[in-house]
Amino acid sequence: MVSHKETRLLHLNEMEKLDKTLFRLEQGFELQFRLGPTLQGKNVTVCTNYPASGEVFDRHKFRTLSWHNPTGKEDDSDKYCKLDLQISGSYQYYFSLGNEKSGGGYIVVDPILRVGADNHVLPLDCVTLQTFLAKCLGPFHEWESRLKVAKETAANSEWLRMHPECGYNLVNSPHLKPAWVLDRALWHLSCMVADGRCIDKGVPPLIENDHHLNCIRKIIWEDIYPKIKLWEFFQVDVNKAVQQFRTLLTKGKIGTKSDPNQHLQIVQDPDYRRLGCTVDMNIALATFIPHSNGPGAIEECCNWFRKRIEELNAEQYRQIHHHQEQAVNCLAGTVVYERLAGHGPKLGPVSRKYPLVTRYFTYPFKDLTLEEEQSMMHQPDKACYFMAHNGWVMGDDPLRNFAEPGSNVYLRRELICWGDSVKLRYGNKPEDCPYLWAHMKKYTEITARNFHGVRLDNCHSTPIHVAEYMLDTARKLRADLFVVAELFTGDEELDNIFVNSLGITSLIREAMTAYNSHEEGRLVYRFGGEPVGSFVQPRLRPLVPAIAHALFMDITHDNECPIQHRSAYDALPSAMIVSMACCATGSTKGYDELVPHQISVVSEERFYSTWNPQALLNSGEVNFQTGILAGRLAMNRLHQELGTKGFNQVYVDQVDEDIVAVTRHCPNTHQSVVAVSRTAFRDPKTSFYSKEVPEMFIPGKIEEVVFEARTIERNVSPYKKDEHFINGLPNFTVELREHIQIKDSKIIKQAGTAIKGPNEFVQEIEFENLTPGSVIVFRVSLDPKAQEAVGVLRNHLIQFSPHFKSGSLPDDHSAPILKTLFSSIASKLTLADLNQVLYRCESEEQEDGGGCYNIPNWSSLKYAGLQGLMSVMADIRPKNDLGHPFCDNLRSGDWMIDYVSNRLISRAGACAEVGKWLKAMFVYLKKIPRYLIPCYFDAILVGAYTTLLDVGWHQMSSFVQNGSTFVKHLSLGSIQMCGIGKYACLPDLSPSLHDVPYRLNEITNEKEQCCVTLAAGLPHFSSGIFRSWGRDTFIALRGLMLLTGRYIEARNIILAFGGTLRHGLIPNLLGQGTHARYNCRDAVWWWLQCIQDYCKIVPNGLDILRCPVSRMYPRDDSPPQPAGTVDQPLYEVIQEVMQRHMEGINFRERNAGPQIDQNMRDEGFNIVAGVDQETGFVFGGNRFNCGTWMDKMGESDRARNKGIPATPRDGSAVEIVGLCKSAVRWLLDLSRKNEYPFHGVTIKRNGREETITYDEWNRKIQGHFERLFFVSENPADPNEKHPNLVHKRGIYKDSYGASSPWCDYQLRPNFTIAMVVAPELFSPERAWKALKIAEEKLLGPLGMKTLDPDDMVYCGVYDNALDNDNYNVARGFNYHQGPEWLWPIGYFLRAKLYFSKLIGPEIYAKTVVMIKNVLSRHYVHLERSSWKGLPELTNENGQYCPFSCETQAWSIGVILEILYDL
């Protein structure tokens, strides 16, 4: 059952702290926490403060979430714990490993806003806000009491006079005393300037130039600083300290240092009295020690002490001097901005109302002299009323409280101060200032009861812990509180700290930050919406970091008026551009009325104008003729409509340097609204604007002009600032026309229709009156044929997802095949058919005369089937990377679309039906506009692909059907690797065998067998004679075919290889049997292991032993025989293998020489194998051939390794001994149950026949294995033939009896194979120790090192193209001398799992954790691989190896096996 709930997955990774990452979710979503690769298998606990159902949110109360594992225990790929998100706000999560916190972060759940009498939902992107100053609204009842903000409070608030402890005053914050003294001194200077008492010093009341400014600097440096001596607050009274020191010395006191590095330092006086600082006399006495007790010595010591104190005081003086320099610079900067700068408020003459600089502290008493005022600083009943004002500090750390000790912001005059508000001193908890917390809590509760939302102005200046407490209080009363915040930290990560901690819904963003129209358009794109033509995203998908939802404002109340910066003409087009953003939008009262100055929050005392709809306006009245108000109403209506109706795709087109076109597109109906705005950042009266406006091409059919508006001037008396009302420029208004046809437009000259493609209308617009300050908005539909095609497509896509219901249309004339559900068509496909539909790499396709689709200027797809496309789209889709060459190719023509359907139609049968269904769907796809094709092509293919995967899994075993996502995705390797090519790879099976697939040969028209074969790896081992290899097939067969339930196909492969038996061996390179090479000693033992596995796994599996095997070579020297000439039951063929090995095998390969192997030396073509009569071990090979899987033959003449195997592994290779033991034990067991007719093998010895029973053979191997293969930890072990060659103890040898004895002692991963197939050979304790060494030395991220890194010939990087003089690496000689192969890791992990059970439950539990953790890396690789497979090998430490197969059958098979064992 597919869930239609929106679900997001958050993968947890060890030590990943995401406090600064924003994750936004909506109510109704499900959030699943899943284990990332670093945590899989480990004991992880996830905790969150999101409340359990029925409980109330408490920020400090965390609960543990319970884990769900829908598929049981084989791996952790699907294990999750979840939250059903029903409550808005910010919630924290963290996860622990054992008792250690390992990582965590936040999630923010958006509120649902409801408005209107019917309480309908208002999407966040529909919100349109306007900022008012409450005091300018006039005497509305209770306006003022409800619109104060909780972070600062008015300096004249009554409650603050009653509770001065709520501010930073000179009693609770004595560190502010020096700054207060400076502030009072500057106030007195300001009063002197205002009264004209500084004219003689060059400073008149009206400051007009740099000369005046320099004179102010001079007064401060020469008159004020020397008078107020700020440095004294930080210095020591020298005489007093020396006297104290002298007294102590005279008394004979000696000091001690706790730390020899301690030096004498000034200790700050906590009360900040002048010269009140001290030094630590203990350190002084330990530093300055008199050489005797005489008065002279004491006096000398006191002089040294005095000198040091004077140095320390001088250092303090220098420090204060730096602060004073900064203070003067900041003061000068303020004066320049407020009185001289063109863009500033031009405050005019200095007065007590507009002082030289804003006061930093409240002073509620009568002005006295500065000396008299300073005495009040030490009188607590007065000093408590000297409170620091609030403000903000440019470039400061917003997480730091600038009023706390340690900050010098007030002293250095760095605060941009709000002279009407006091900075509140909350402390760290309510107990620190009970009245303040209680008062603000009450205020917050009143606000929450009366308002849907709050705006946190200058949010960063409220301590986070206070804002958290207040917002938690508010949300208890109004769960869906809309929290807007102004945060100008300048850093997205810092913004996120506030958004996460407080659960901020929207951050204020401002269009005024844009320096030109291009940047304004970029901000629209940045703050919301998806690209037009975006892909449909799955409902279950990873949670990705977001940027905060924006409230995008054309202007905020704190910033200067755009008319001063740009021009009055720009108000309308910039507001239009902002209004087209796919987010909340806003403005500030005064913008629409074209008020030509900033309305000061602090000093503005006039009222806003009132509404009067009559045409004749008096002073203090406005209506739709005022400013851009008429345009604003039309814009707001449109913004609301676009948000409500789901126009959530955005395209911004910079038409020229001033014209911006913003498209909002609805992905369901494919309607668009296009707003064209001609901005006027420069005043059209003084700047040149071309009359030639570029033509515009709008795809689709323009239904109407929603509205057009132009800013025009009218002839009225010029602007004069009204004394009582806030008034705007009277000489500008908007000419607005709504809902008209193009022909009635006054902005458009003419509109024509151009056909861009067969189904693509484009309207060509020529403008004649798009003057600066104009906007025009079009409503655009697809042309009717395209609209119908999209509707029909969506109708047919509903079978895959209900998402497509909206905008769908019934299909009355559909092709007959579309009347059948795709799942029904797909259900006819076999797994072999699915190989054709989904996969097939380039060389497989070339066999059929085709190839994989090539994307020009990019690359070819990995597969010709749908997986090739899906791998690319999986990268493109989440990022909506519509500019990718893949999407370009789809938009440019139908080549890829036709390739997909035609390739399948050409194949006939069930595959062709899938192709026909796709072709019928593509008929409609080709009728829609090209920009929509990538999105709908993806939707069709995703629907088909997911259905096809389900069809595949449905035909597989219960292990797959009930398995985890990892198991299911690995099982697709069976479809990927198992296919039927144009030419039969397997020799024909016996005609008397049932369930053999046949087909008609295209050329001869005769019936031929067409069995599935297993490719060794893609792309290198996938076609022709290089597709089927005996060893690879039977190492992979259990995982890829038996565990997945492909029993008949597995049987056919086993029997076909059995038919090629010759010399007691099956071939490695199959070559259809007729071109086979019998040059490997291990393939036949892997074949026997597979027969054993088949008998155990498949229901009635033993029946295979009686199946007929058609012998291609009844005798070693027979020419190839047609199938059915000589048939034998399989058990006889098995017996022949055992018999021939016991007799001994010795032959020379046919056609020996360069024609079959151009690198092999002559001796290498001699094949020898047999069984040691004493030990029962299989042995074979020589130093010139390599008969095991480590089969690299030297190829370099230059390095002189040509014809020399890198790893001959002659003698008894450990895994072959294990496989032989497994076969012997199995046959013994069968013969005892009378299920196998032979009890042993018969050989001729000394002229007479002798029988060696399977029981005897089994006991021989068992009795000798550990004695001869285990490298004892006892150096004097008598079984050790070559103690001098041992370099690791406690391991198992790689071989026994090699022609180069040191090779026996090399640590390689092969012994783990023997552990899995014949665990009885190993004593558990020794096995466990050897596995620990293998883990430490050989285990890589994905595979096993093929050689101990401590070995002198180890080299972990395989480069087959490198030809140099290095014998050990030239032409890839080190293929198996270090690179990390994947398939041995499956055996290593299975061995670990098996023996851990024998060691004990605790070790077993730890081993399961370790295995899951290792497997998680394979899962990550599989998911990310465009081949959707696991590679043959990696270079050292898991690095990518370009010479490896990208996906290898045995690599996938063994991982399925360990998951099955789990």
Side-chain angles (χ1 to χ4, degrees):
M1 180 69 193
V2 179
S3 165
H4 295 309
K5 189 179 219 175
E6 287 288 346
T7 303
R8 300 292 177 270
L9 312 179
L10 181 53
H11 284 94
L12 308 175
N13 289 300
E14 205 166 338
M15 301 311 292
E16 193 168 56
K17 294 177 175 63
L18 298 175
D19 304 26
K20 297 179 182 175
T21 303
L22 173 61
F23 292 118
R24 279 181 57 205
L25 293 129
E26 294 176 34
Q27 290 178 55
F29 278 30
E30 179 180 290
L31 174 63
Q32 293 185 4
F33 296 98
R34 299 208 178 188
L35 298 176
T38 53
L39 292 174
Q40 287 195 15
K42 296 181 182 174
N43 179 25
V44 179
T45 310
V46 181
C47 299
T48 179
N49 59 4
Y50 184 91
S53 181
E55 289 192 8
V56 178
F57 171 66
D58 175 350
R59 185 175 292 278
H60 307 291
K61 183 180 171 189
F62 285 80
R63 63 190 175 98
T64 302
L65 299 178
S66 54
W67 288 104
H68 305 270
N69 201 343
T71 58
K73 63 175 186 179
E74 73 257 1
D75 65 89
D76 285 353
S77 59
D78 292 336
K79 184 172 156 183
Y80 67 91
C81 47
K82 68 170 182 169
L83 289 175
D84 282 313
L85 302 171
Q86 304 296 340
I87 317 164
S88 77
S90 161
Y91 305 101
Q92 205 174 347
Y93 70 89
Y94 69 84
F95 56 93
S96 307
L97 272 175
N99 300 320
E100 290 275 307
K101 264 194 191 178
S102 181
Y106 289 84
I107 55 164
V108 177
V109 183
D110 288 338
I112 294 175
L113 306 182
R114 294 183 179 276
V115 293
D118 59 351
N119 212 24
H120 68 271
V121 171
L122 176 73
L124 291 180
D125 292 342
C126 288
V127 169
T128 306
L129 294 181
Q130 189 166 36
T131 306
F132 288 84
L133 299 187
K135 63 181 183 179
C136 298
L137 285 167
F140 277 100
H141 180 56
E142 292 184 345
W143 263 109
E144 193 174 32
S145 65
R146 285 186 186 156
L147 292 177
K148 284 179 199 158
V149 275
K151 150 182 91 266
E152 65 241 11
T153 199
N156 56 3
S157 291
E158 185 59 39
W159 67 268
L160 201 55
R161 278 201 284 277
M162 307 287 290
H163 291 277
E165 79 279 3
C166 296
Y168 285 86
N169 61 47
L170 300 194
V171 176
N172 63 27
S173 304
H175 65 283
L176 294 173
K177 284 177 183 175
W180 180 82
V181 170
L182 175 58
D183 194 54
R184 292 308 298 158
L186 293 173
W187 169 255
H188 285 283
L189 171 62
S190 201
C191 294
M192 286 172 67
V193 172
D195 297 344
R197 288 185 285 151
C198 290
I199 292 172
D200 58 336
K201 293 187 179 180
V203 185
L206 184 62
I207 294 163
E208 295 182 286
N209 53 45
D210 285 350
H211 171 69
H212 294 158
L213 206 59
N214 289 333
C215 290
I216 293 172
R217 286 178 183 270
K218 192 166 188 282
I219 293 170
I220 293 171
W221 278 112
E222 292 179 3
D223 297 355
I224 293 179
Y225 285 159
K227 186 176 170 187
I228 60 178
K229 296 180 179 169
L230 295 179
W231 51 85
E232 290 186 346
F233 289 98
F234 304 92
Q235 288 182 330
V236 178
D237 184 328
V238 179
N239 292 332
K240 190 174 162 189
V242 171
Q243 187 52 47
Q244 188 188 355
F245 183 64
R246 183 182 286 114
T247 305
L248 291 169
L249 279 182
T250 309
K251 288 180 180 173
K253 289 278 196 294
I254 298 171
T256 54
K257 289 189 189 182
S258 56
D259 176 1
N261 294 322
Q262 270 184 325
H263 298 295
L264 201 63
Q265 287 177 327
I266 288 180
V267 179
Q268 180 62 49
D269 172 24
D271 291 327
Y272 283 78
R273 293 164 299 196
R274 288 182 185 275
L275 300 178
C277 297
T278 54
V279 292
D280 186 329
M281 284 297 170
N282 191 36
I283 295 175
L285 290 166
T287 306
F288 302 99
I289 303 167
H291 54 79
S292 73
N293 292 332
I298 286 175
E299 196 53 41
E300 186 189 9
C301 215
C302 287
N303 288 337
W304 282 109
F305 176 66
R306 176 186 293 276
K307 191 163 178 274
R308 181 66 188 130
I309 295 289
E310 285 168 348
E311 284 171 358
L312 290 170
N313 274 354
E315 179 54 44
Q316 294 292 73
Y317 179 86
R318 281 193 294 276
Q319 190 63 47
I320 298 309
H321 188 79
H322 289 316
H323 293 333
Q324 291 180 158
E325 281 180 329
Q326 175 69 354
V328 170
N329 291 337
C330 289
L331 178 143
T334 303
V335 173
V336 167
Y337 170 67
E338 290 185 343
R339 296 171 195 278
L340 302 180
H343 62 280
K346 297 258 176 75
L347 292 180
V350 175
S351 64
R352 280 165 178 76
K353 185 179 179 184
Y354 295 116
L356 195 60
V357 283
T358 307
R359 291 200 272 188
Y360 271 15
F361 293 86
T362 59
Y363 181 82
F365 305 107
K366 188 167 69 116
D367 282 0
L368 305 170
T369 67
L370 185 58
E371 289 70 22
E372 291 169 321
E373 286 173 359
Q374 285 195 60
S375 68
M376 297 162 77
M377 181 168 66
H378 302 298
Q379 301 167 23
D381 59 329
K382 303 261 191 341
C384 68
Y385 292 107
F386 305 148
M387 290 180 252
H389 284 146
N390 203 358
W392 67 287
V393 184
M394 185 94 73
D396 193 34
D397 175 2
L399 298 174
R400 184 179 76 128
N401 186 336
F402 54 75
E404 290 287 341
S407 164
N408 292 305
V409 160
Y410 286 88
L411 180 60
R412 291 161 63 87
R413 305 292 297 186
E414 291 169 331
L415 186 72
I416 294 161
C417 180
W418 305 318
D420 62 341
S421 65
V422 165
K423 185 159 183 70
L424 298 177
R425 184 173 179 269
Y426 287 92
N428 293 322
K429 53 191 182 303
E431 295 76 39
D432 292 345
C433 193
Y435 178 82
L436 177 59
W437 286 75
H439 182 79
M440 286 306 178
K441 182 180 179 189
K442 186 178 174 187
Y443 156 75
T444 302
E445 288 171 340
I446 293 168
T447 306
R449 282 193 192 98
N450 288 289
F451 294 95
H452 280 88
V454 292
R455 169 178 170 147
L456 307 179
D457 209 40
N458 287 288
C459 174
H460 48 266
S461 66
T462 304
I464 280 190
H465 64 283
V466 177
E468 284 178 340
Y469 178 88
M470 299 304 166
L471 284 170
D472 290 353
T473 299
R475 286 192 175 105
K476 279 178 186 149
L477 296 169
R478 188 178 291 278
D480 281 305
L481 187 70
F482 181 43
V483 182
V484 176
E486 178 190 44
L487 260 183
F488 296 117
T489 66
D491 180 328
E492 199 171 291
E493 281 197 341
L494 267 177
D495 283 355
N496 287 347
I497 290 175
F498 286 90
V499 174
N500 280 334
S501 302
L502 308 182
I504 292 168
T505 315
S506 305
L507 280 187
I508 289 172
R509 307 293 192 184
E510 198 182 0
M512 272 302 290
T513 59
Y515 42 85
N516 60 20
S517 66
H518 181 77
E519 175 63 8
E520 203 160 65
R522 190 191 71 79
L523 293 177
V524 170
Y525 192 75
R526 166 95 176 126
F527 294 137
E530 299 178 329
V532 173
S534 287
F535 296 103
V536 177
Q537 303 296 341
R539 287 175 180 269
L540 174 86
R541 61 180 186 269
L543 181 62
V544 293
I547 62 165
H549 183 259
L551 168 60
F552 191 28
M553 301 187 72
D554 40 40
I555 182 74
T556 62
H557 67 276
D558 284 327
N559 287 329
E560 293 148 8
C561 161
I563 293 173
Q564 292 168 297
H565 272 284
R566 299 178 182 175
S567 74
Y569 284 92
D570 190 61
L572 176 71
S574 277
M576 183 75 245
I577 290 170
V578 168
S579 189
M580 287 297 285
C582 187
C583 60
T585 58
S587 187
T588 294
K589 182 73 175 166
Y591 180 95
D592 299 345
E593 294 86 349
L594 302 181
V595 175
H597 58 83
Q598 183 190 357
I599 302 172
S600 169
V601 178
V602 177
S603 59
E604 183 61 76
E605 289 169 1
R606 299 172 299 160
F607 288 166
Y608 292 125
S609 300
T610 55
W611 184 260
N612 176 5
Q614 303 306 316
L616 292 168
L617 295 178
N618 298 312
S619 170
E621 292 181 331
V622 294
N623 65 16
F624 283 132
Q625 269 66 58
T626 308
I628 64 165
L629 281 169
R632 174 68 73 183
L633 179 62
M635 286 187 259
N636 285 353
R637 282 179 184 149
L638 180 63
H639 183 261
Q640 178 93 20
E641 180 200 336
L642 296 177
T644 311
K645 293 187 175 169
F647 283 72
N648 62 2
Q649 297 186 344
V650 179
Y651 173 64
V652 180
D653 182 12
Q654 187 75 35
V655 180
D656 71 8
E657 64 172 325
D658 303 304
I659 300 173
V660 178
V662 182
T663 301
R664 290 277 297 274
H665 181 84
C666 173
N668 297 338
T669 61
H670 296 295
Q671 270 211 338
S672 299
V673 169
V674 182
V676 183
S677 308
R678 191 171 192 192
T679 60
F681 276 59
R682 314 180 308 288
D683 188 343
K685 290 180 181 167
T686 56
S687 300
F688 172 74
Y689 282 85
S690 169
K691 286 194 164 65
E692 297 297 315
V693 175
E695 288 182 337
M696 268 197 77
F697 297 92
I698 295 179
K701 177 169 175 269
I702 296 174
E703 302 283 351
E704 65 161 351
V705 173
V706 183
F707 64 86
E708 62 180 25
R710 291 174 63 233
T711 309
I712 54 170
E713 268 195 83
R714 54 184 172 182
N715 196 12
V716 293
S717 49
Y719 170 77
K720 181 168 178 285
K721 192 169 183 176
D722 193 292
E723 286 180 24
H724 305 291
F725 296 99
I726 298 169
N727 60 323
L729 301 176
N731 49 331
F732 289 93
T733 186
V734 163
E735 180 183 272
L736 175 75
R737 310 175 72 238
E738 297 186 83
H739 304 296
I740 58 172
Q741 289 303 305
I742 286 185
K743 61 180 171 40
D744 303 321
S745 164
K746 291 191 175 173
I747 288 180
I748 294 172
K749 185 175 182 183
Q750 63 175 29
T753 304
I755 303 284
K756 189 174 168 190
N759 311 299
E760 203 157 352
F761 273 50
V762 175
Q763 298 225 243
E764 200 175 325
I765 306 293
E766 200 180 324
F767 297 104
E768 66 176 346
N769 235 345
L770 189 67
T771 49
S774 307
V775 301
I776 182 165
V777 183
F778 303 101
R779 189 180 304 281
V780 185
S781 302
L782 302 182
D783 78 84
K785 282 182 183 167
Q787 192 72 53
E788 186 188 350
V790 166
V792 171
L793 257 186
R794 293 181 74 85
N795 185 38
H796 288 302
L797 288 169
I798 295 170
Q799 62 183 298
F800 303 124
S801 166
H803 167 86
F804 294 103
K805 272 185 185 156
S806 61
S808 64
L809 292 171
D811 184 4
D812 301 326
H813 314 292
S814 69
I817 195 157
L818 291 182
K819 294 191 168 76
T820 310
L821 285 179
F822 181 73
S823 54
S824 173
I825 293 166
S827 66
K828 311 281 195 300
L829 296 165
T830 64
L831 292 175
D833 291 332
L834 284 170
N835 169 263
Q836 305 265 356
V837 176
L838 292 172
Y839 299 103
R840 293 175 61 82
C841 67
E842 179 73 24
S843 50
E844 290 176 279
E845 282 293 290
Q846 283 177 348
E847 266 193 349
D848 291 351
C852 293
Y853 188 80
N854 177 268
I855 293 167
N857 306 319
W858 194 59
S859 70
S860 290
L861 301 180
K862 305 297 184 214
Y863 294 110
L866 297 193
Q867 184 62 63
L869 302 148
M870 297 307 294
S871 290
V872 182
M873 293 196 290
D875 284 337
I876 295 172
R877 191 184 309 112
K879 298 184 286 222
N880 273 319
D881 183 6
L882 292 162
H884 193 284
F886 183 94
C887 298
D888 276 346
N889 189 261
L890 281 168
R891 285 190 294 266
S892 302
D894 296 335
W895 315 289
M896 193 189 311
I897 298 169
D898 290 338
Y899 170 88
V900 171
S901 55
N902 293 347
R903 173 183 169 271
L904 292 173
I905 291 170
S906 70
R907 281 164 202 264
C911 295
E913 293 305 300
V914 171
K916 287 172 190 169
W917 182 88
L918 287 168
K919 186 164 190 161
M921 289 290 278
F922 293 160
V923 166
Y924 297 106
L925 184 70
K926 291 174 182 180
K927 288 180 181 171
I928 68 175
R930 299 309 301 189
Y931 70 89
L932 291 176
I933 282 182
C935 145
Y936 281 100
F937 181 72
D938 180 60
I940 294 167
L941 261 56
V942 165
Y945 175 78
T946 50
T947 305
L948 291 165
L949 296 192
D950 285 336
V951 165
W953 291 323
H954 188 68
Q955 293 180 47
M956 291 192 190
S957 62
S958 59
F959 165 60
V960 173
Q961 288 183 30
N962 305 326
S964 65
T965 305
F966 188 20
V967 167
K968 286 192 156 117
H969 286 191
L970 277 172
S971 72
L972 295 174
S974 174
I975 299 176
Q976 187 187 96
M977 295 293 175
C978 300
I980 302 167
K982 185 166 188 177
Y983 307 106
C985 284
L986 286 185
D988 279 357
L989 295 162
S990 167
S992 61
L993 190 65
H994 299 297
D995 298 320
V996 177
Y998 285 87
R999 67 180 175 198
L1000 282 180
N1001 184 301
E1002 288 175 23
I1003 300 161
T1004 64
N1005 220 22
E1006 288 177 6
K1007 203 166 85 158
E1008 65 179 9
Q1009 290 185 10
C1010 54
C1011 290
V1012 160
T1013 54
L1014 206 157
L1018 312 181
H1020 308 315
F1021 305 117
S1022 58
S1023 61
I1025 64 164
F1026 294 108
R1027 178 177 173 86
S1028 281
W1029 299 75
R1031 176 190 300 126
D1032 297 70
T1033 296
F1034 295 111
I1035 291 174
L1037 190 113
R1038 179 175 184 263
L1040 286 188
M1041 300 190 83
L1042 296 180
L1043 298 185
T1044 57
R1046 304 186 68 170
Y1047 303 142
I1048 295 286
E1049 292 152 314
R1051 178 205 71 176
N1052 292 345
I1053 290 173
I1054 289 170
L1055 298 176
F1057 269 91
T1060 63
L1061 190 83
R1062 200 176 200 181
H1063 307 289
L1065 301 173
I1066 66 162
N1068 189 23
L1069 183 66
L1070 178 62
Q1072 289 178 281
T1074 52
H1075 297 86
R1077 280 196 72 186
Y1078 294 87
N1079 61 337
C1080 72
R1081 310 194 304 275
D1082 58 349
V1084 72
W1085 297 106
W1086 283 109
W1087 176 72
L1088 288 170
Q1089 185 65 36
C1090 270
I1091 299 171
Q1092 183 182 163
D1093 292 333
Y1094 182 96
C1095 292
K1096 288 175 179 170
I1097 292 170
V1098 179
N1100 303 318
L1102 286 168
D1103 291 353
I1104 195 174
L1105 297 178
R1106 291 183 292 283
C1107 283
V1109 175
S1110 263
R1111 295 294 298 273
M1112 186 176 266
Y1113 305 107
R1115 294 185 316 282
D1116 290 348
D1117 55 359
S1118 306
Q1121 302 293 311
T1125 310
V1126 178
D1127 279 6
Q1128 278 178 291
L1130 178 60
Y1131 64 78
E1132 286 186 11
V1133 184
I1134 294 171
Q1135 183 64 15
E1136 185 177 327
V1137 172
M1138 308 305 283
Q1139 180 77 34
R1140 292 297 293 272
H1141 275 81
M1142 191 56 85
E1143 289 171 357
I1145 295 165
N1146 191 334
F1147 66 94
R1148 184 167 170 79
E1149 280 197 83
R1150 282 165 186 73
N1151 303 315
Q1155 59 271 32
I1156 63 165
D1157 192 327
Q1158 56 190 6
N1159 295 309
M1160 181 94 80
R1161 295 199 180 182
D1162 188 66
E1163 301 95 316
F1165 293 109
N1166 299 330
I1167 309 298
V1168 173
V1171 177
D1172 184 284
Q1173 299 301 316
E1174 185 186 341
T1175 61
F1177 296 170
V1178 177
F1179 68 85
N1182 66 45
R1183 65 196 182 91
F1184 291 109
N1185 60 30
C1186 28
T1188 74
W1189 77 275
M1190 293 184 161
D1191 56 358
K1192 178 65 184 181
M1193 180 60 74
E1195 299 174 31
S1196 172
D1197 284 317
R1198 186 171 164 188
R1200 296 187 294 283
N1201 65 24
K1202 186 167 181 171
I1204 299 170
T1207 41
R1209 302 189 68 233
D1210 54 345
S1212 296
V1214 65
E1215 77 277 17
I1216 302 182
V1217 173
L1219 288 161
C1220 171
K1221 173 69 168 69
S1222 173
V1224 170
R1225 180 198 63 232
W1226 174 58
L1227 294 176
L1228 169 62
D1229 188 44
L1230 288 183
S1231 67
R1232 282 175 174 164
K1233 294 177 185 167
N1234 293 322
E1235 286 163 341
Y1236 183 73
F1238 306 100
H1239 298 284
V1241 290
T1242 307
I1243 57 163
K1244 279 191 175 170
R1245 194 178 289 168
N1246 303 326
R1248 56 197 182 89
E1249 286 193 348
E1250 192 176 315
T1251 298
I1252 291 114
T1253 64
Y1254 287 128
D1255 183 33
E1256 191 182 337
W1257 192 352
N1258 187 50
R1259 277 187 285 109
K1260 277 184 181 177
I1261 302 173
Q1262 186 71 43
H1264 288 87
F1265 182 80
E1266 276 226 331
R1267 196 151 56 81
L1268 299 180
F1269 270 94
F1270 185 66
V1271 181
S1272 171
E1273 287 170 281
N1274 171 17
D1277 182 3
N1279 291 316
E1280 203 50 79
K1281 274 168 57 179
H1282 303 285
N1284 56 318
L1285 295 176
V1286 172
H1287 68 111
K1288 283 228 175 16
R1289 297 193 171 276
I1291 65 168
Y1292 287 88
K1293 294 173 192 168
D1294 188 55
S1295 55
Y1296 175 74
S1299 55
S1300 301
W1302 58 271
C1303 292
D1304 286 347
Y1305 294 87
Q1306 289 180 306
L1307 174 62
R1308 298 184 186 273
N1310 297 308
F1311 70 88
T1312 62
I1313 300 164
M1315 284 180 168
V1316 171
V1317 297
E1320 70 276 11
L1321 291 174
F1322 299 82
S1323 57
E1325 289 72 22
R1326 285 176 168 182
W1328 191 248
K1329 199 162 273 184
L1331 286 165
K1332 275 177 82 171
I1333 295 170
E1335 183 172 343
E1336 183 190 324
K1337 289 291 176 186
L1338 303 181
L1339 181 63
L1342 289 177
M1344 298 291 282
K1345 291 179 172 64
T1346 36
L1347 181 61
D1348 180 357
D1350 298 335
D1351 195 292
M1352 58 190 258
V1353 298
Y1354 169 86
C1355 176
V1357 177
Y1358 171 60
D1359 183 350
N1360 198 40
L1362 176 74
D1363 195 5
N1364 61 11
D1365 298 329
N1366 186 336
Y1367 178 88
N1368 291 319
V1369 299
R1371 296 300 306 276
F1373 197 63
N1374 63 317
Y1375 200 25
H1376 306 98
Q1377 301 279 51
E1380 294 163 13
W1381 285 68
L1382 265 76
W1383 78 270
I1385 208 171
Y1387 284 89
F1388 165 74
L1389 294 175
R1390 290 175 71 195
K1392 281 275 289 188
L1393 190 67
Y1394 178 87
F1395 285 105
S1396 68
K1397 279 183 190 165
L1398 303 182
I1399 303 292
E1402 194 181 329
I1403 293 290
Y1404 174 68
K1406 281 185 179 170
T1407 302
V1408 169
V1409 169
M1410 174 263 180
I1411 290 172
K1412 287 181 174 184
N1413 205 246
V1414 170
L1415 292 178
S1416 69
R1417 298 175 214 144
H1418 297 90
Y1419 183 48
V1420 169
H1421 184 96
L1422 184 71
E1423 293 299 293
R1424 290 180 181 166
S1425 159
S1426 51
W1427 289 85
K1428 288 288 172 266
L1430 297 175
E1432 175 187 19
L1433 70 143
T1434 70
N1435 285 335
E1436 61 190 355
N1437 304 320
Q1439 295 171 51
Y1440 175 70
C1441 174
F1443 296 93
S1444 162
C1445 273
E1446 299 282 357
T1447 173
Q1448 189 88 350
W1450 58 20
S1451 301
I1452 300 170
V1454 294
I1455 302 299
L1456 273 168
E1457 290 184 272
I1458 179 64
L1459 288 167
Y1460 183 77
D1461 286 5
L1462 275 173

